[in-house]
Amino acid sequence: MSENDNLQNADGKKEVESTETTPTQETAQQADTPKAESTQSDVETEAPTETPAEHTNTQENNEEPPTAQQKTDDHVEEIDASNAEDAEDESNSERHELEDKDYHAMSMDELTAEFSKLLKHHKIQTISKHVNEIKGEFNAKFNELLEEKKEEFIDDGGNEIDFYFTNDTKKLFNSLYKEYKQAISAYYKEREQNLKQNLENRLEIIEEIKGLLNVEENMGTTYKTFKELQERWRNAGPIPRDKYNNAWNTYHHHVERFYDFLHLNNDLRDMDFKHNYEQKLKIIERAEELAQDENTNRSFRELQVLHKLWKEELGPVGKEHREEIWERFSNATKAIHDKRQAYFADMEKAHEKNLERKEEIITQIEAIAADKANSHNAWQKKIKEIEALREAFFKAGKVPLKVNESTWAKFKNAVRTFNRGKNSFYKELKKDQYDNLKKKKELIQIAEDNKDSDDFATVTPLMKKIQNDWKKIGHVPRRDSDKIWKQFKAACNHYFDRMHEERKAENQHLYDAFDKKVKLLEALKDLKLTEDNKADIETLKSKIAEWKEVGHVPQNKRYIDGKFYKAIDDAFDKLKMDKSKLEMVKFESKLENLADPEDTRLLDNEYNFIKKRIDEIKSDINQLENNLQFFSNVKSDNPLVKEVHKNIANHKKELDTWKSKLTKVRGMYSE
């Protein structure tokens, strides 16, 4: 057995000095760089030349019984490993609380905002992973934008060597990243100095405790000095984690030696033992309460604190209690550990199901990415599908830690593959848009070259053609769309406004006629009938004659004729006379408007319409008469039969009216 194998801590538990780093510590060291370097290679440890009397073994063969520390199980080692992670930097645990976010889905502005939040609300040493992800995504997106701007610059006639582009978002991001680099550099520099200084301070405290054994003075004064050194040790701050175990082992060793030395004054020692015993009982009671807590994570975190208090804040207890209280504390720790392990086992099963769901989602994303679309609408549909799958991925919950990073990487790769396909499509689409832009600019040039031409017969068909051509050309880049449309529209409007003004001057008499008809229409609306049908019919006919006498109006104003004859029909409808006679009076007034010796198209249309209507009514009459055959055995006073006869009579009466109209139209041709 080596000299150091006899070292025991203040509770009688063996602590074997080791310069090796536990896997947990090694991982923690790799996570935070640069690592502080000690000014000494190892912490000096002096073993006693003989076992202190209170630790002497009384068993046969002079072999020591297994101590509580030697019997330590996984549940205690897990606590020690967790506390060792915080030995160098008490803020390490915070980095596990930062929320993982889908930075790949964020825009450059959103990434910049997230970066700013990290700098403002979190310790600089806890955000490096997130900063690196944000930086990678931001640079990828900015490089894509840079390529687009470069293509636009070259397409507009620029020389590639002269291209330069930045924007406010990029400037702000660069500023934040510079701030981060300066802050993290300052933090590590300061931390390295603090860790070195704290280690030196702790080594000095150990040396001063060693020196107390050789001081020849009042024991009460020596004890007071010892308690002051213990308080300084508690407040000495974090040290390099690779020196943590050695420093604490050495410190406990020399604390024990001092208590061995102190046995000369039992009152002071026993008072300390009593205080430590009472405090450790409180720790045990709290640990036993935590063993009943259903929140396993919360109870484990507090248990870590209790173990730190046990180890770092409190000294030894009387030898007769050491094994007993450690066993009790260890059992409470094991209960919490076992409950936590069961919780993690259940969580692992849930995580496995989450993993299956996430892998299904990734497969779906990969399938969508592999299916190449060739239209904007198709890609928009695929984008919505991907967004829904992304949301489902994040709602699916956590997966086993061992596959967390690989699953996340697989998801990002699937989404990135989709985005590459999407970006490739829209990149080609942009090329087409630039081709369209070139074509539309050519049409603008034609419009502007001809907008002041007086050759209306030649240029008007040309202007109409380029307007149609414009509609057939596809989309252009959005930033140019409004600008070129306004330019094209202005040139076309300039030409057609000139043409219309010219034609208006040539056809001023038509516009004068329109103004007169507007006044006649207003007068007709205000016309009061006398209830003398004959007189009112003559009045309305005179209004029609007056309207017709005014003559034609411009082509685009002919809608006023329809309004006038609608008003005439409304006036006729107010007359109290037989419906069929009224219908003929209205029709005769209508024929007055249709009569035009030079253009019979309107009259022709009316003639064809009347003939068609007559045929329809005859067909209806035949159908009704055929229906009567089904009622041959039914009495004539049957309501259904009477209704059919009534309909036939109405149709025949209507037929007579239409035949009269046809006669009137034929008479118009012979005039």
Side-chain angles (χ1 to χ4, degrees), residues 43-56:
V43 180
E44 180 183 2
T45 303
E46 293 185 4
T49 56
E50 58 182 357
T51 305
E54 63 180 7
H55 292 172
T56 303

Side-chain angles (χ1 to χ4, degrees), residues 445-645:
Q445 189 62 49
I446 294 172
E448 291 184 337
D449 288 345
N450 290 277
K451 67 179 183 179
D452 293 314
S453 173
D454 295 325
D455 187 0
F456 298 118
T458 303
V459 174
T460 299
L462 173 64
M463 296 297 276
K464 289 182 177 179
K465 179 181 181 302
I466 65 174
Q467 285 181 325
N468 287 328
D469 290 345
W470 182 280
K471 295 175 184 176
K472 294 175 184 177
I473 298 173
H475 294 288
V476 300
R478 184 174 298 178
R479 67 185 179 89
D480 298 300
S481 182
D482 286 345
K483 177 183 174 183
I484 63 170
W485 167 243
K486 289 176 181 177
Q487 193 176 355
F488 181 70
K489 184 179 177 182
C492 291
N493 285 349
H494 177 80
Y495 171 79
F496 284 108
D497 287 345
R498 285 181 57 255
M499 183 191 74
H500 291 148
E501 286 298 323
E502 184 76 19
R503 289 183 177 177
K504 186 175 180 181
E506 294 175 356
N507 299 291
Q508 187 60 46
H509 64 288
L510 298 177
Y511 288 94
D512 292 340
F514 174 75
D515 293 338
K516 289 179 182 179
K517 286 192 172 184
V518 169
K519 292 177 182 179
L520 287 174
L521 180 59
E522 292 299 322
L524 178 61
K525 289 179 180 178
D526 297 332
L527 179 66
K528 303 294 184 182
L529 298 176
T530 65
E531 295 189 0
D532 181 347
N533 287 341
K534 189 174 181 181
D536 289 337
I537 289 173
E538 290 302 320
T539 299
L540 292 175
K541 284 184 175 182
S542 67
K543 292 293 182 184
I544 295 171
E546 188 178 357
W547 182 272
K548 194 171 181 181
E549 188 178 343
V550 172
H552 294 295
V553 298
Q555 181 74 27
N556 62 340
K557 304 291 185 182
R558 289 187 180 179
Y559 62 85
I560 198 169
D561 288 331
K563 288 187 174 183
F564 174 78
Y565 285 103
K566 173 67 168 59
I568 286 289
D569 283 345
D570 292 342
F572 274 120
D573 288 339
K574 294 176 182 178
L575 299 178
K576 296 178 180 178
M577 58 188 299
D578 181 74
K579 186 177 180 182
S580 59
K581 290 182 179 179
L582 179 60
E583 186 69 22
M584 287 304 299
V585 171
K586 288 168 62 177
F587 182 69
E588 287 172 1
S589 67
K590 180 180 179 181
L591 286 182
E592 291 292 326
N593 183 52
L594 298 179
D596 186 346
E598 297 179 1
D599 188 356
T600 63
R601 284 179 297 176
L602 293 176
L603 198 60
D604 293 340
N605 291 338
E606 189 68 21
Y607 178 81
N608 292 329
F609 173 76
I610 293 172
K611 286 197 66 177
K612 182 179 178 183
R613 185 65 186 133
I614 289 172
D615 290 339
E616 289 173 352
I617 296 172
K618 286 181 177 179
S619 176
D620 290 340
I621 293 172
N622 288 335
Q623 183 64 49
L624 289 169
E625 290 175 342
N626 288 335
N627 290 343
L628 282 176
Q629 295 178 11
F630 294 103
F631 302 100
S632 58
N633 297 324
V634 180
K635 293 182 179 180
S636 60
D637 60 350
N638 182 282
L640 192 57
V641 174
K642 290 172 68 176
E643 181 65 25
V644 174
H645 281 293

Side-chain angles (χ1 to χ4, degrees), residues 63-121:
E63 290 183 2
E64 289 186 295
T67 64
Q69 179 66 19
Q70 288 173 315
K71 293 185 288 185
T72 295
D73 292 320
D74 292 344
H75 58 284
V76 176
E77 291 177 358
E78 183 179 6
I79 294 288
D80 289 342
S82 297
N83 284 334
E85 285 192 50
D86 299 333
E88 189 171 83
D89 186 351
E90 295 176 355
S91 67
N92 276 350
S93 58
E94 184 178 341
R95 69 171 168 264
H96 302 299
E97 298 174 5
L98 288 179
E99 178 187 0
D100 283 332
K101 294 188 177 182
D102 184 8
Y103 296 123
H104 183 65
M106 296 183 184
S107 67
M108 288 189 293
D109 287 332
E110 290 169 333
L111 289 169
T112 304
E114 284 294 324
F115 195 176
S116 180
K117 286 179 187 177
L118 289 175
L119 289 175
K120 288 178 182 177
H121 302 300

